[in-house]
């Protein structure tokens, strides 16, 4: 029975007769907060942790961004020549393949991150992401090695997908557990700043290459350059992550240090138990996270991944021109995303998330009606309307999602929920929209799809609890100064008496 239910059923007369007993019960439920319980954050360490986590996230979305922006070219390189639509569908199907193993990666890396520590697992995922992306840039074409080309492409996409299964959950957990409670939204927004930076880097490099090289050069060797760039980026990210200490929240877990040391010998037996605990004891927050991520990822992938293909293939708009407009929108999002994070610290996560969901609910169809006019100004306006709605979610989600779960299962639960939802709804978005347009014959299908996702998102936001400025569940408070810690201890010591 929940504590609140128990409190409501207590007979006041019983409390009066057994004051000592009920005081003991109250002390056990709400132990006195000691100064040693409170984490006073080191701002320099928080900034280093944020930078390392954000760079890894940028790497992840750079990987997926270049694949999305070069989807048509990749289809021609790796799949048999013939029908252009079939090649594009083959390319998007391979894009979606990586998302099929993301839940598996989340189920492996997530519980390990809760046992062995966040830092170690995030270093492993960084290496795997860089290797997978770099290897794709080395695969010979279908014309050279036949069916081995798409087979190798699928294999390394699976490596990418497996590694990213542990990336977002770990990176958002890492920042959330390092940041002070009152600024978690601000520091968390840098994770999605990294997302946008990855997309901007990918789209910017593709625009430069397609501008400098001929179509024939891009098809034969130019497309490889963005994939090969992943290697140095991965080494930089790995270096930054290895220099960090474990998060304060993980270090303060009871037995956390012992668990980290003993995990290597207990991984096989503990992984199943940890997953079972997540699904049986934490299924309510798991469902909430699934719904939030579904709504967020459908709109995210539709705008940032699929839109250049939509403009070129459905509206016959120049690929470079479409990418430049989207690049402008993403740069504007980068300029305001940290302010969105600050606003979520001040006004709460729910108002900002609701604003983003309602934006897609009411503005998706008008935005696509503007976009399909084909005029550069109207296309920019339509993308900006959706971009502003998306940035309200981008700047808030990375602080809101980790707070749903308690510390001891945060990495695992968030990785499982995030990746299952992303695999089912996010990574399949380009493929589903392309198929829906082909089936129903209307290029407004992306708008209808985003509107449906927003309905789910609105319901999920209504069901979530506000967590701004509160300690993470299962962790002691985290503050910025010693003075703030002393004030908090004094405020918490004024416990009501029976």
């Amino acid at each position: 029975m929940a504590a609140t239910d128990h409190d409501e059923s207590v007979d006041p007369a019983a409390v009066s007769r057994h004051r000592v007993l009920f005081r003991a019960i109250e002390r056990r439920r709400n132990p006195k907060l000691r100064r040693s319980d409170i984490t006073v954050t080191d701002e320099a360490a928080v900034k280093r942790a944020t930078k390392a986590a954000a760079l890894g996230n940028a790497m992840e979305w750079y990987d997926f961004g270049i694949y999305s922006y070069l989807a048509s070219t990749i289809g021609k390189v790796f799949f048999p020549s013939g029908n252009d639509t079939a090649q594009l569908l083959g390319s998007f199907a391979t894009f979606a393949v990586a998302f099929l193993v993301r839940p598996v990666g989340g189920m492996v890396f997530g519980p390990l991150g809760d046992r062995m520590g966040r830092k170690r697992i995030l270093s492993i995922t960084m290496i795997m992401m860089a290797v997978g992306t770099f290897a794709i840039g080395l695969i010979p074409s279908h014309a050279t090695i036949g069916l081995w080309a798409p087979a190798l492409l699928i294999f390394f996409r699976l490596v990418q997908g497996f590694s990213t299964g542990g990336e977002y959950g770990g990176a958002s957990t890492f920042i959330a557990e390092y940041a002070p409670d009152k600024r978690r939204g601000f520091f968390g927004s840098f994770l999605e700043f990294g997302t946008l930076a990855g997309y901007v880097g990918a789209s910017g490099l593709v625009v430069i290459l397609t501008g400098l090289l001929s179509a024939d050069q891009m098809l034969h060797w130019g497309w490889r350059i963005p994939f090969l760039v992943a290697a140095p980026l991965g080494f930089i990210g790995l270096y930054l992550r290895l220099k960090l200490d474990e998060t304060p929240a993980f270090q303060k877990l009871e037995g956390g240090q012992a668990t980290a040391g003993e995990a290597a010998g207990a991984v096989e037996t503990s992984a199943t138990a940890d997953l079972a605990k997540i699904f049986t004891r934490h299924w309510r927050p798991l469902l909430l996270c699934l719904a939030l991520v579904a709504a967020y990822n459908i709109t995210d992938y539709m705008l940032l991944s699929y839109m250049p293909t939509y403009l070129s293939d459905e509206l016959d708009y120049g690929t470079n021109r479409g990418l430049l407009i989207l690049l402008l929108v993403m740069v504007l999002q980068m300029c305001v995303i940290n302010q969105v994070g600050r606003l979520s610290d001040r006004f709460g996560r729910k108002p900002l998330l609701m604003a983003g969901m309602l934006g897609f609910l009411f503005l998706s169809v008008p935005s696509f009606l503007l976009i399909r006019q084909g005029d550069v100004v109207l296309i920019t306006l339509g993308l900006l309307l959706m971009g502003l709605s998306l940035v309200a979610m981008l700047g808030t989600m990375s602080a809101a999602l980790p707070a749903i779960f308690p510390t001891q299962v945060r990495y695992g639960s968030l990785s499982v929920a995030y990746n299952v939802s992303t695999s089912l709804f996010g990574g399949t978005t380009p493929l589903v929209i392309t198929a829906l347009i082909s089936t129903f014959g209307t290029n407004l299908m992306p708008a209808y799809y985003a509107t449906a996702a927003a309905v789910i998102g609105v319901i999920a936001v209504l069901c979530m609890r506000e967590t701004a400025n509160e300690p993470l569940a299962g962790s002691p408070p985290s503050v910025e100064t010693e003075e703030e810690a002393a004030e908090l201890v004094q405020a918490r010591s004024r416990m009501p008496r029976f």
Side-chain angles (χ1 to χ4, degrees):
M1 182 177 292
T4 52
D5 295 336
H6 177 80
D7 292 340
E8 289 172 1
S9 64
V10 170
D11 182 2
V15 174
S16 179
R17 288 194 303 271
H18 306 285
R19 292 180 183 276
V20 175
L21 174 61
F22 278 92
R23 284 199 190 107
I25 293 172
E26 180 65 21
R27 281 195 297 271
R28 182 160 185 173
R29 283 188 193 160
N30 300 289
K32 184 178 179 181
L33 185 68
R34 298 167 298 179
R35 167 60 193 86
S36 58
D37 295 328
I38 300 174
T39 301
V40 178
T41 59
D42 175 3
E43 186 163 355
V46 175
K47 288 180 178 179
R48 285 196 302 270
T50 302
K51 187 188 303 180
L55 183 59
N57 211 47
M59 177 77 183
E60 175 186 348
W61 296 108
Y62 171 84
D63 294 348
F64 282 91
I66 53 178
Y67 193 99
S68 300
Y69 301 143
L70 291 170
S72 296
T73 301
I74 289 172
K76 295 173 184 176
V77 171
F78 289 102
F79 295 93
S81 58
N83 188 296
D84 289 343
T85 301
Q87 287 182 328
L88 183 61
L89 284 171
S91 180
F92 277 142
T94 308
F95 178 81
V97 157
F99 290 86
L100 296 178
V101 295
R102 281 187 71 149
V104 181
M107 290 178 188
V108 172
F109 289 125
L112 287 179
D114 286 325
R115 285 190 158 263
M116 301 173 65
R118 288 55 164 128
K119 171 186 169 180
R120 193 178 305 180
I121 300 304
L122 283 173
S123 298
I124 295 172
T125 59
M126 174 64 77
I127 294 170
M128 291 183 67
M129 278 195 300
V131 169
T133 306
F134 181 77
I136 288 175
L138 300 177
I139 301 174
S141 68
H142 182 275
T144 304
I145 60 172
L147 292 178
W148 279 107
L152 287 171
L153 176 64
I154 290 170
F155 173 76
F156 287 113
R157 286 291 293 160
L158 291 174
V159 171
Q160 285 181 320
F162 186 76
S163 65
T164 53
E167 178 60 31
Y168 183 89
S172 56
T173 293
F174 205 75
I175 294 179
E177 292 183 351
Y178 253 106
D181 296 333
K182 292 184 179 179
R183 300 183 69 194
R184 192 174 299 119
F186 171 69
F187 285 111
S189 66
F190 281 95
L191 188 65
E192 298 298 353
F193 182 91
T195 297
L196 292 170
Y199 274 126
V200 166
S203 60
L205 187 53
V206 170
V207 166
I208 291 170
L209 288 173
T210 51
L212 294 176
L213 303 176
S214 67
D216 191 57
Q217 288 173 319
M218 275 297 295
L219 187 63
H220 283 88
W221 57 269
W223 68 270
R224 299 182 184 274
I225 295 175
F227 288 94
L228 299 178
V229 169
L233 288 177
F235 282 119
I236 294 171
L238 180 62
Y239 171 74
L240 289 174
R241 287 185 173 181
L242 289 175
K243 287 183 67 177
L244 295 171
D245 294 325
E246 191 51 79
T247 68
F250 182 79
Q251 291 180 19
K252 289 199 174 190
L253 273 177
E254 185 178 358
Q257 297 297 337
T259 301
E262 296 165 1
V267 165
E268 203 167 309
T269 56
S270 66
T272 304
D274 288 344
L275 282 173
K277 182 168 65 174
I278 288 170
F279 285 110
T280 56
R281 299 185 190 176
H282 304 279
W283 61 270
R284 287 187 182 87
L286 208 64
L287 288 177
L288 175 62
C289 189
L290 281 166
L292 286 170
V293 174
Y296 156 63
N297 265 326
I298 286 174
T299 52
D300 182 291
Y301 280 85
M302 183 202 68
L303 182 61
L304 302 185
S305 293
Y306 173 73
M307 193 52 65
T309 302
Y310 176 82
L311 291 173
S312 61
D313 287 26
E314 301 300 332
L315 304 183
D316 295 322
Y317 201 73
T319 303
N320 258 17
R321 292 167 68 193
L323 268 178
L324 281 171
I325 296 173
L326 187 59
L327 190 62
L328 171 65
V329 172
M330 289 189 290
V331 169
L332 291 174
Q333 287 179 315
M334 291 175 70
C335 291
V336 302
I337 191 167
N338 298 133
Q339 298 309 312
V340 172
R342 288 184 193 274
L343 289 174
S344 77
D345 285 329
R346 182 175 179 182
F347 298 106
R349 317 293 185 223
K350 293 183 68 171
L352 272 296
L353 289 175
M354 185 61 77
M357 299 296 181
L358 290 176
F360 273 103
L361 182 64
F362 294 112
L363 297 178
S364 291
V365 173
S367 294
F368 271 89
L369 289 173
L370 290 171
I371 289 169
R372 71 178 190 173
Q373 299 303 311
D375 179 76
V376 64
V377 175
L378 296 179
I379 290 175
T380 304
L381 180 59
L383 292 178
L384 274 175
L385 288 174
M386 290 189 290
L388 289 174
S389 300
L390 180 60
V391 81
M393 293 187 278
L394 282 173
T396 311
M397 198 68 77
S398 52
L401 294 179
I404 294 175
F405 304 101
T407 301
Q408 64 269 24
V409 294
R410 179 170 298 122
Y411 195 156
S413 300
L414 180 52
S415 293
V416 169
Y418 185 89
N419 289 295
V420 168
S421 190
T422 300
S423 298
L424 291 176
F425 304 105
T428 59
T429 294
L431 180 63
V432 169
I433 291 177
T434 302
L436 287 174
I437 290 174
S438 176
T439 301
F440 293 98
T442 172
N443 53 25
L444 278 178
M445 285 310 300
Y448 300 145
Y449 199 50
T451 301
V455 171
I456 296 171
V458 168
I459 296 171
V461 173
L462 289 173
C463 293
M464 69 181 287
R465 182 177 66 87
E466 183 57 71
T467 57
N469 300 313
E470 294 182 5
L472 291 168
S475 294
S478 178
V479 299
E480 294 183 86
T481 65
E482 290 285 351
E483 292 76 12
E484 191 177 349
E487 290 174 4
L488 189 57
V489 170
Q490 186 176 7
R492 292 284 186 90
S493 65
R494 298 166 187 161
M495 295 293 294
R497 300 180 66 88
F498 283 107

